[in-house]
Amino acid sequence: MIKITKFLAALIGLLSSQALVAHKTDDSTGWSIAIHGGAGTIERDRMTPGQQAEYETALAAALEAGAKVLREGGSAIDAVKAAIMPMEDDPNFNAGRGAVFTWEEHIEHDVSIMDGRDRSAGAASGLRLVKNPILLADAIRVDGRHVFLSGEGAQQFASERDFELVAPEWFETERRRESLERLKTEKVSALDVDHKFGTVGAVARDSEGNLAAGTSTGGMTGKRWGRIGDTPVIGAGTYADNRSCAVSATGWGEYFIRVGVAQEICTRVRLSGNPDYQSAADEVMAEVAELGGDGGVIVMPSSGEPIFSFNTSGMYRARVTADSAVEVGIFGD
């Protein structure tokens, strides 16, 4: 992890009247937030200084959007939504605009959100028209009749409410189309063309000690047959429980589902009576690696000190608390 540079701090400062760096005060409210923008083969020699600065700036802006909610006394669930929306709108991430193409050349989003106060949750898969999927996931959570909607049913649910819908073309980028063409032409896997899992997510603790988590993705390049990964699966890609922690995952979804990564981390800590969240996260990620999968997680403990764990060469990530400065990281070192 690195502290955000003065240049980036000044740049993001133009976007907000609040300073990016949260200084410690005697009346600290104890809030904290962490975000991720995907994990995978992320190495220094494959990224120009300009690209690195662009990602760091995007991460810092998303983090600040969520931190602003918490700083002003807002809830963890609202902070998670506020942090994820800018990344869904940014074509650099595989969520919302800039999501990858399916084999049939569509873009389909998967998303979930969970509130640690009552473990209410909302999730959707196969979305094609909702501009910000994380907002739809939360509407499903608040509605409360179901947890997980998919495809046409999820679209109908969105159409009956005041959600911003956009044409499919709004999500498309040339870079993602080229990745699909390469996958088909060279007969390689999604891992060969994506290099990283661009899923985005956030975990937060508000001033009242409540936790929340959310995750949003476009899935894997060239996915077929309605494939669904871990992102919309509560307990695999997203989980939040005030009794233990909140987790958002990014990685090879099939393995995260098999391990039940997000809930497994929280349950291990809760049942062990030992609040060693870093060890729990590292052990679960090691299990994923043993099965052949890779990726990473961001974890918000009930104590409010966010941690990261990943078994890849890098993960786009950032964190800040009411008592600490902003940190932004990309590479494993």
Side-chain angles (χ1 to χ4, degrees):
M1 295 291 292
I2 59 171
K3 288 187 177 180
I4 190 166
T5 64
K6 292 181 179 179
F7 168 75
L8 288 176
L11 180 59
I12 302 304
L14 296 176
L15 302 178
S16 172
S17 59
Q18 299 285 347
L20 267 177
V21 178
H23 298 286
K24 185 172 182 177
T25 61
D26 292 337
D27 59 349
S28 170
T29 55
W31 58 262
S32 54
I33 185 168
I35 65 172
H36 70 76
T41 307
I42 306 170
E43 300 169 348
R44 293 184 186 278
D45 59 1
R46 302 179 70 168
M47 185 177 296
T48 68
Q51 290 172 327
Q52 179 177 340
E54 187 174 358
Y55 275 110
E56 289 175 348
T57 300
L59 289 167
L63 186 72
E64 169 57 14
K68 183 175 185 295
V69 172
L70 297 171
R71 192 182 298 119
E72 296 176 352
S75 68
I77 200 80
D78 286 342
V80 163
K81 290 185 291 182
I84 289 177
M85 285 175 62
M87 293 188 285
E88 288 181 332
D89 292 340
D90 191 326
N92 283 311
F93 300 105
N94 176 19
R97 191 178 190 191
V100 299
F101 284 88
T102 67
W103 184 266
E104 294 80 12
E105 301 186 14
H106 301 301
I107 290 178
E108 296 179 348
H109 303 109
D110 300 332
V111 65
S112 64
I113 196 168
M114 189 167 184
D115 190 332
R117 291 175 293 190
D118 57 2
R119 282 175 283 172
S120 59
S125 64
L127 302 176
R128 295 188 182 183
L129 304 177
V130 179
K131 181 176 181 290
N132 290 111
I134 193 65
L135 297 181
L136 177 60
D138 196 50
I140 295 170
R141 180 190 70 82
V142 172
D143 180 80
R145 287 174 288 178
H146 305 291
V147 169
F148 196 162
L149 303 181
S150 66
E152 291 299 322
Q155 184 60 50
Q156 181 179 351
F157 182 91
S159 298
E160 293 173 358
R161 289 155 177 80
D162 189 23
F163 283 100
E164 183 175 359
L165 305 179
V166 294
E169 293 75 22
W170 189 86
F171 300 109
E172 298 177 2
T173 62
E174 189 59 32
R175 178 168 65 103
R176 300 300 191 187
R177 189 173 293 280
E178 290 173 355
S179 293
L180 178 64
E181 291 175 355
R182 182 186 165 205
L183 181 145
K184 289 184 174 182
T185 301
E186 301 180 17
K187 294 181 172 57
V188 295
S189 72
L191 300 180
D192 293 315
V193 297
D194 288 344
H195 302 301
K196 67 180 181 66
F197 305 97
T199 300
V200 305
V203 292
R205 179 187 190 275
D206 61 33
S207 59
E208 295 183 357
N210 296 312
L211 306 179
T215 316
S216 182
T217 190
M220 300 181 76
T221 298
K223 61 183 181 180
R224 306 178 75 176
W225 309 298
R227 180 264 186 189
I228 299 170
D230 65 304
T231 292
V233 180
I234 300 300
T238 300
Y239 196 73
D241 183 346
N242 276 9
R243 298 175 299 173
S244 53
C245 63
V247 179
S248 175
T250 173
W252 198 337
E254 281 71 15
Y255 294 94
F256 280 66
I257 292 172
R258 289 163 61 183
V259 175
V261 166
Q263 186 174 15
E264 178 71 8
I265 293 170
C266 296
T267 300
R268 286 193 183 198
V269 173
R270 182 169 62 85
L271 296 183
S272 70
N274 177 20
D276 188 347
Y277 293 90
Q278 188 68 64
S279 294
D282 291 345
E283 290 168 3
V284 172
M285 287 308 303
E287 285 192 16
V288 172
E290 288 173 5
L291 293 178
D294 56 4
V297 293
I298 54 175
V299 181
M300 181 63 68
S302 56
S303 60
E305 295 295 331
I307 64 171
F308 306 97
S309 181
F310 51 98
N311 59 18
T312 54
S313 62
M315 181 167 76
Y316 296 105
R317 61 204 188 276
R319 65 187 175 191
V320 67
T321 75
D323 302 321
S324 68
V326 168
E327 292 180 307
V328 176
I330 295 178
F331 309 107
D333 56 2

